[in-house]
Amino acid sequence: MDKTWKIQDIGKWLNNSFRAILKGEFLLRLDVGRYFIHIVYTFFLFAMVIWISLMIESTMNKVERNKAILHELEIVNTQKTFEVVSLSRRSSVNAMLEQMGSKVTEPKNPATVLKK
Amino acid sequence: METNNGIVKKNRDRIGVILYVVYVLLLAASVLLFVKIAGIQLFFNPNPKIERALRPVSRARSIEPVRGNIIDCEGRLLAMSCPTYQIAMDCTVLREEFAKDTKNGAAREEEWLQKAKALSTELAKVFPEKSADEYWRLIREGRRGGKKYLRIGKPVDRNVYKRICSFPLFNEGKYKGGLITEQQNIRIYPYGKLARRTIGFVRNNRSNVGNTHVGLEGRFDYELHGREGKEWTKYTDAGLVLDNDSTKVRPEDGKDIRTTINIDYQDIAWRALYSEIKEEADLEGACLVLMEASTGAIRSMVNLYRDAGSADFEEVSNLAIGRSMEPGSVFKTVTLMQVLSDGHIKSLDETIPTNHGVIQGVKGVKADDHIRDFERRNSTNMISIIDGFKMSSNYVFGTMAVSNYAKKPMRFIENIHSYKLGEAFDFDLIGLATPTIPSPKDKNRYWSTTDLAVMGYGYGTRETPLHILCFYNAIANKGRMMKPYLVEDVEKDGIIKERRGPALMSTICSQAVADTITRALKAVTEEGTARRLKDARCAVAGKTGTSFGTYADGNYTDEHGRHKYQGTFVGFFPADDPIYSVICTVFSKPTSKQFQGGGIPARAIKSLVNELYNIDPAFRPCLTAAK
C-alpha cells in the first residue's frame, strides 16, 4: 500500500495549526461547532459534580455537628441514669426514708401469697 | 483590497484589530499558564510546611465502641461507661497580644488577671483541696512563667464540667480564657463499693501494676470491649468532615454481661458483714458468699479487706476465691462424708471410745480437751459421732480418719479430690487459688499417719472459702455438686447471645448420705458450736470452723503467743429444703483475741438470713383461698 502522507506533512500541519491559532481560526477550522452540545453537556456535568460535592460536604458537616449533639445527649442520659440508679441502692433508700420521717421500713415478715 | 502587485490585503477595521490584540494577549496568557502548570507539576518543590497546611488531609479516625454494661440478675446496672472531664488551663493566653498592644495592653492584662482572680475563688469551691489564694498564685505564676498547661483538680463529671465552663474567664473559651478540657471515658459503678472486687476493672496497659484485668470486667473484657471502627475524615473550609470517598468500618459495641448477683442481697450481705467487723481492729479481712443451692448461682459475694493504707475495710481483694488456708473444723464434714459413703459407719449414733481425747497411733497431736470435758460431764468413755460433730471434736474425726484410712490413705485423698476439693475448677473470675492436698505419693514430703489424723479434722490441707461452699452446697443439693458461676448470660441490646447458666460438676454422694450429714449439720446449729443460729428466722444447717494461719517459721503462734485466726461458718438454709448455701470467713491479724467460726461469721449469717427471709419470694407462705 502506498504511503499517502510524508513526514514533512506533520511540519506543515503544525505550521498551519500555529497560524490558525494566531488568527483565531483553529477551532473553526476543526469545525468544533459540531460538538458544541457535547461540550456544553460536559461543562454541565463538571458543574454538577462540583456542586454535588459541595452539597455532600455541607451535609457531612451537618452530620458531624449532629453527631456532637447526639454525643452530648448520650452523656447527659448516662449521667442521669447513673444518678437514678445510684439512688436505688437498698440502704440508700432506707436512709432517705428515715431521713424524711417516713414510716415505711423493710418488711418485718415475708409477704403472704394468695392462691386460688 | 487589491494592491498593485496583485496581492489581496484584508481590510482590518478598528474593532477587529482590538479583538485580535485581546485574543493574542489571552493566547499568550494561556500559553504562560500552561507553561507554569507544567513547571509546577514537574519541577516545583514547595515548602513542606505550606504544602501540609494547604493540602486537604484525609486521616483515619478510630471510632471507640461503647463498652458493654454489667447488670445484676434483675437487670440493674452494676457498671457502665461515662465520660469525665479533666480541667486544665493555658495561663499564657493573650499575654503576647497584650504585650504588643502599647496603648491598652497593660489595662487589658490587668482586666484578665482580675477575671483570673474571680476564677480562683470559684475553683476553690469546686476543688477544695486548694484555697482560692493558692489557685490565684498558681495562675499568676503560670502566666509569668509561660505555663501552657496547668492541671486543675481531679476529673469531674458533666454537671460539674458545665458549671466550670460558666466560671469567669473560662466562659470566654479556649483562646481567650485558656480553658483546656480533656474528655476520657471511665467506668462508673452506681452501687459504689458493692461487689466492686467481683465486678472488677480493667487497668490501662500503661499502668505499672501487673494485674490489669480484675474481676468480671477483666475476665469478660473480650465480650464487654467490642470492636473499634475506623473512618476517614478530611479538613475542609467547614471544618473536619467525614471523607465520603472513603470506606467506613462501623464499630461493634461491646456486649452486656448479666450476672447472677442480686444487688439487693449484696447490699444486705455487705451490711450484715460490715456491721459485725467494722469495730474489730484485729481483723484483716472477711468474706461472705451467698449461693443458690439448686443452681450454683452466686447471689452475693462480699470481700472486705483492710488495705495497708486504709483504716477501713474495702473491696480490694477477693478473699473468697484467692485466699486458701487450712479450713479447720468445716473440713470434718468431708471426713464424715467419706466414712458414710465408704460404709465405715452406718449411723451418726454409732460410738467410739473417748480414749481421753488421744488419737491412737498418732504422735505429736495434742489431746482433745473437749473429750475430757465430755467424759467428765457425762461420766462415759464412749462418744457418738453426732456428739463429736456437735462439739467439733478433733479427736473423733482424727480417729475416724486414722482408724478407717491408715491402711489405705490414698482412698482418703482420692475421695477429697472426687469432692472437687483438690482442684481450681473453671470459674468466672480469674484467680481461684488451687487447693493443696498432701499425698503419700508426694516424694518431696514425708507422709505419716499424723497427716491423715490432722487432715481428718481440717488441718494439713488448704482450701478457699469458695471450695468449701461448693462442697456444702452439694450436701444441700442432695449430693449434686453444682459449678459456682457469676455470669448468667451474655446479651446484646437485651437479646441473649450466649447462655451460660448452671452446670453440674459431679455427684459426690448419695442422697442418703447427704440427708445424714444434713441431720448432723442441723444438730450443730441447734445444740452445737453454732447455737447462735438457732433462733434465726428459718432453720439453718451448717458447721463452724476455726483454724490458725502459720507464720514464716511454720508455727501457729508468734513469739508473743498470738494466733492468726480464720473463723468460718458454712451452711445452708432452710435446713430441710435448702434454697441458699452460704459461707462467711473472717481472717485476723496476729492477735490475742479469739475469732471463732461461731462468733462473727455466725452472727453475720444470722443477720443475713433474717433479712433475706422477709424479702425473698421463695420464703413467702402461701394461703389458699376457700371456694
Side-chain angles (χ1 to χ4, degrees), chain B residues 505-557:
Chain B
M505 280 211 285
S506 69
T507 302
I508 61 167
C509 69
S510 66
Q511 188 170 338
V513 169
D515 287 343
T516 308
I517 296 173
T518 303
R519 194 190 129 210
L521 293 171
K522 276 164 72 179
V524 172
T525 53
E526 281 164 10
E527 303 160 35
T529 50
R531 280 187 301 273
R532 212 181 285 274
L533 281 154
K534 194 178 175 182
D535 56 347
R537 292 297 301 270
C538 72
V540 181
K543 180 80 185 77
T544 59
T546 309
S547 67
F548 303 127
T550 48
Y551 288 89
D553 57 6
N555 289 327
Y556 289 110
T557 52

Side-chain angles (χ1 to χ4, degrees), chain A residues 85-86 88-91, chain B residues 70-79 189-196 198-199 259-271 298-302 315 612 615:
Chain A
V85 177
S86 301
S88 72
R89 183 174 165 175
R90 205 172 184 92
S91 46
Chain B
I70 296 180
I71 52 182
D72 86 339
C73 64
E74 291 181 357
R76 288 169 291 192
L77 283 163
L78 302 181
Y189 305 92
Y191 292 97
K193 292 175 184 174
L194 286 186
R196 278 293 285 112
T198 309
I199 297 168
T259 65
T260 57
I261 299 275
N262 182 320
I263 203 68
D264 280 342
Y265 294 4
Q266 180 76 26
D267 193 12
I268 291 167
W270 182 86
R271 264 186 287 136
I298 293 173
R299 296 292 176 217
S300 73
M301 185 180 254
V302 185
E315 285 250 355
L612 282 192
I615 63 165

Side-chain angles (χ1 to χ4, degrees), chain A:
Chain A
M1 208 172 128
D2 289 341
K3 207 174 172 186
T4 55
W5 59 276
K6 296 170 211 161
I7 296 295
Q8 64 200 51
D9 288 349
I10 297 171
K12 212 181 274 179
W13 181 81
L14 283 173
N15 187 22
N16 279 343
S17 298
F18 181 67
R19 280 168 185 277
I21 288 169
L22 284 181
K23 285 179 183 173
E25 293 169 356
F26 183 69
L27 294 176
L28 290 174
R29 281 195 200 176
L30 287 175
D31 198 11
V32 174
R34 284 182 300 168
Y35 308 107
F36 181 71
I37 191 71
H38 301 89
I39 293 166
V40 169
Y41 179 60
T42 310
F43 177 80
F44 171 74
L45 283 183
F46 283 172
M48 285 302 288
V49 165
I50 293 167
W51 182 66
I52 290 171
S53 175
L54 285 172
M55 292 284 286
I56 290 171
E57 215 161 81
S58 154
T59 308
M60 286 299 176
N61 188 248
K62 212 182 282 177
V63 166
E64 286 296 309
R65 281 203 306 269
N66 287 340
K67 213 188 264 182
I69 293 168
L70 275 176
H71 183 61
E72 281 285 293
L73 290 172
E74 272 171 21
I75 294 169
V76 174
N77 179 47
T78 311
Q79 188 86 35
K80 297 279 177 209
T81 309
F82 173 73
E83 284 165 17
V84 170
V85 177
S86 301
L87 289 172
S88 72
R89 183 174 165 175
R90 205 172 184 92
S91 46
S92 307
V93 173
N94 284 341
M96 281 188 288
L97 285 170
E98 203 178 307
Q99 213 172 18
M100 291 166 75
S102 170
K103 287 177 182 171
V104 179
T105 57
E106 288 275 4
K108 299 277 181 270
N109 286 302
T112 304
V113 180
L114 293 177
K115 275 190 176 173
K116 277 186 184 176

Side-chain angles (χ1 to χ4, degrees), chain B residues 282-287 319-320 322-331 458-459 461-466 468 544-550 556 563-569 583-591 593-601:
Chain B
D282 284 350
L283 276 186
E284 186 189 7
C287 64
L319 301 167
R323 182 173 283 203
S324 62
M325 278 182 75
E326 288 171 309
S329 299
V330 290
F331 207 75
Y459 278 82
T461 60
R462 296 178 83 85
E463 299 285 350
T464 69
L466 189 66
I468 297 294
T544 59
T546 309
S547 67
F548 303 127
T550 48
Y556 289 110
H563 292 290
K564 283 195 282 189
Y565 276 89
Q566 177 182 296
T568 304
F569 178 83
I583 187 167
C584 179
T585 305
V586 294
F587 304 91
S588 86
K589 300 175 188 171
T591 178
K593 286 177 80 175
Q594 288 194 351
F595 291 98
Q596 308 273 1
I600 290 173

Side-chain angles (χ1 to χ4, degrees), chain B residues 98-297:
Chain B
F98 294 161
K100 283 178 194 163
D101 184 359
T102 48
K103 199 175 171 189
N104 298 320
R108 287 168 73 193
E109 176 72 15
E110 184 53 35
E111 191 189 345
W112 193 96
L113 287 170
Q114 283 309 313
K115 283 179 189 170
K117 196 169 187 180
L119 170 70
S120 306
T121 312
E122 296 297 329
L123 286 177
K125 289 177 193 166
V126 178
F127 305 110
E129 59 269 16
K130 282 194 177 75
S131 67
D133 285 342
E134 280 175 294
Y135 281 117
W136 167 229
R137 186 175 53 78
L138 282 171
I139 296 172
R140 217 175 43 215
E141 285 175 2
R143 193 164 179 79
R144 209 176 296 144
K147 197 164 190 171
K148 285 189 173 291
Y149 186 91
L150 173 67
R151 195 184 165 101
I152 297 166
K154 287 177 183 166
V156 292
D157 66 21
R158 195 189 143 77
N159 293 343
V160 180
Y161 164 68
K162 283 278 166 197
R163 232 176 90 204
I164 289 171
C165 286
S166 67
F167 287 172
L169 207 59
F170 276 175
N171 56 12
E172 293 178 25
K174 183 180 175 181
Y175 299 108
K176 289 182 178 173
L179 173 65
I180 301 170
T181 46
E182 289 157 358
Q183 189 187 316
Q184 55 186 29
N185 273 332
I186 58 153
R187 282 301 253 187
I188 47 174
Y189 305 92
Y191 292 97
K193 292 175 184 174
L194 286 186
R196 278 293 285 112
R197 195 70 191 179
T198 309
I199 297 168
F201 51 83
V202 174
R203 277 196 188 99
N204 194 313
N205 282 340
R206 283 170 293 178
S207 166
N208 52 5
V209 182
N211 196 5
T212 56
H213 287 61
V214 172
L216 292 170
E217 290 267 22
R219 175 76 162 75
F220 291 90
D221 189 39
Y222 67 99
E223 296 281 16
L224 290 163
H225 181 75
R227 194 177 296 160
E228 270 90 0
K230 194 172 157 186
E231 63 186 3
W232 291 84
T233 56
K234 63 178 179 185
Y235 280 103
T236 65
D237 293 342
L240 189 72
V241 297
L242 215 59
D243 188 351
N244 56 303
D245 290 336
S246 65
T247 55
K248 178 180 177 175
V249 181
R250 286 184 184 281
E252 201 180 299
D253 291 343
K255 297 189 186 92
D256 297 335
I257 300 287
R258 183 184 286 268
T259 65
T260 57
I261 299 275
N262 182 320
I263 203 68
D264 280 342
Y265 294 4
Q266 180 76 26
D267 193 12
I268 291 167
W270 182 86
R271 264 186 287 136
L273 184 59
Y274 183 73
S275 61
E276 290 295 335
I277 64 170
K278 63 181 177 186
E279 303 294 342
E280 296 292 349
D282 284 350
L283 276 186
E284 186 189 7
C287 64
L288 193 159
V289 184
L290 178 73
M291 183 192 276
E292 200 172 76
S294 60
T295 61

